[in-house]
Amino acid sequence: MARIGLVLGAGGMAGIAYHAGVLAGLAEGVGWDPREADLIVGTSAGSLIAAGLRAGLSAADIAARAEGSPLSPEGAALLEASDAAVGPSRDGPPTMSLRLRTPAAPGVLLAAGLAPWRIRPAAVIAGLLPPGSAPTEALEAGLDALYDDRWPARPMWVCAVHLDSGRLTVFGRDGAPRARVGEAVAASCAIPGYFAPVPVNGARYVDGGAHSLTNLSEVARLGLDLVIVSAPMSRTGRRRPTSLVVRELARLELGVEARRVRRRGAAVLAFQPTAADQATAGLNFMNPARQAAIARQARASTLRRLERADVRERLAMLRG
């Protein structure tokens, strides 16, 4: 039986919708249920989707949620307690404030100086930005209502950055600090300078995307047969004149990490936004108004890609 990994990258509210479309397309196009992945790795927006899958939410219901469509009776029942814990939605996401204030973790400069090969530049920047003020309590409450104090029985890794050291922490992996699912996902989603750092066992954590936008290379040594990656902040195809710089950096980063995984013998199939996907998403990854359109477009582009013979060949192992 093939061992399958699913890696879900960062991408804000647009990323949540993109993941929803990709997973729905995979379920529809090849009949694969992403809940059956042997390991799910989530970073930032991807961690929220990972937690939903491991709680039992289907790809179809994740897509319906993003599109504002009715969920299945099973999906609605699953999320009933979570929605009640979150309460009414706010008017919209807060804005990032970069007014001159004290850096969140100036000591990260010392940590980077002592071990520069271990600390990514974005993690240093995260420590030097002023701490964000947007709360994560609603996100934590919603997930805690699903999980209580349990971690999923099947492997789920949630990637965050230890703010003061700049190092990656992978909650759910052997040796990682113990955390509730709500804490871990909130930490993974805590965009530096936007959301408040999330305390876990006395340490402060921020968005795992400050280490890598997918953290794909973390699965390189696991002996997986196939790793499916959804990378909302990357891009594929010809570069558009309006393509964001972050997409170029994400594409390069993903390429480096995918080569590391392939060198260890695993096949990698990465889904990255096409030109049409990027146009639908626009320039603001935190705009909730575009989620329905992004999810529908990502599903359509995924289904088109699944028509390719080389892609279907790689995905044949999903059927055992």
Side-chain angles (χ1 to χ4, degrees):
M1 181 71 70
R3 298 188 66 224
I4 310 299
L6 176 62
V7 174
L8 304 169
M13 301 188 83
I16 291 171
Y18 182 79
H19 291 315
V22 168
L23 296 177
L26 283 166
E28 179 181 341
V30 295
W32 180 62
D33 187 341
R35 293 174 293 186
E36 297 302 314
D38 294 280
L39 170 67
I40 304 178
V41 180
T43 297
S44 198
S47 71
L48 185 60
I49 299 298
L53 289 169
R54 283 301 192 230
L57 201 62
S58 70
D61 278 330
I62 289 173
R65 182 86 162 184
E67 295 173 12
S69 303
L71 276 66
S72 70
E74 296 79 12
L78 181 66
L79 292 179
E80 182 177 6
S82 177
D83 288 343
V86 171
S89 60
R90 295 181 174 85
D91 294 335
T95 56
M96 180 180 286
S97 174
L98 295 180
R99 297 190 304 270
L100 290 178
R101 290 185 286 150
T102 304
V108 73
L109 280 174
L110 176 60
L114 293 174
W117 60 92
R118 299 187 65 174
I119 313 300
R120 301 284 177 89
V124 176
I125 293 171
L128 296 180
L129 286 172
S133 59
T136 58
E137 284 83 356
L139 175 59
E140 289 189 46
L143 289 169
D144 286 343
L146 280 177
Y147 283 98
D148 295 321
D149 198 31
R150 299 174 294 106
W151 195 265
R154 302 194 66 183
M156 179 180 79
W157 291 1
V158 173
C159 301
V161 166
H162 185 283
L163 183 59
D164 293 283
S165 71
R167 295 186 180 182
L168 178 69
T169 295
V170 183
F171 294 108
R173 184 163 66 181
D174 289 346
R178 175 174 168 74
R180 302 190 318 274
V181 171
E183 288 177 322
V185 172
S188 185
C189 291
I191 301 170
Y194 187 94
F195 289 106
V198 176
V200 180
N201 293 325
R204 298 181 299 165
Y205 294 88
V206 293
D207 198 316
H211 182 266
S212 163
L213 293 171
T214 63
N215 290 293
L216 170 59
S217 62
E218 297 304 306
V219 308
R221 299 175 182 271
L222 300 182
L224 297 170
D225 297 294
L226 172 65
V227 182
I228 297 172
V229 186
S230 176
M233 296 187 76
S234 184
R235 71 162 185 86
T236 189
R238 181 175 298 178
R239 185 180 186 277
R240 301 171 68 241
T242 57
S243 183
L244 296 170
V245 172
V246 68
R247 290 198 183 277
E248 300 307 307
L249 296 175
R251 182 181 66 85
L252 294 172
E253 178 185 74
L254 179 60
V256 170
E257 296 195 33
R259 286 190 289 274
R260 290 175 186 163
V261 175
R262 291 184 178 113
R263 282 198 296 268
R264 293 283 175 172
V268 175
L269 180 60
F271 290 87
Q272 304 165 84
T274 64
D277 298 334
Q278 295 170 59
T280 302
L283 303 180
N284 181 3
F285 288 103
M286 296 302 290
N287 182 2
R290 290 181 178 252
Q291 283 193 300
I294 292 169
R296 288 192 290 266
Q297 172 58 40
R299 183 203 299 247
S301 62
T302 297
L303 288 170
R304 281 193 296 272
R305 189 170 180 204
L306 293 177
E307 295 173 357
R308 290 172 38 179
D310 61 323
V311 173
R312 297 192 73 86
E313 182 179 351
R314 271 181 284 177
L315 292 176
M317 66 180 70
L318 294 178
R319 293 185 287 274

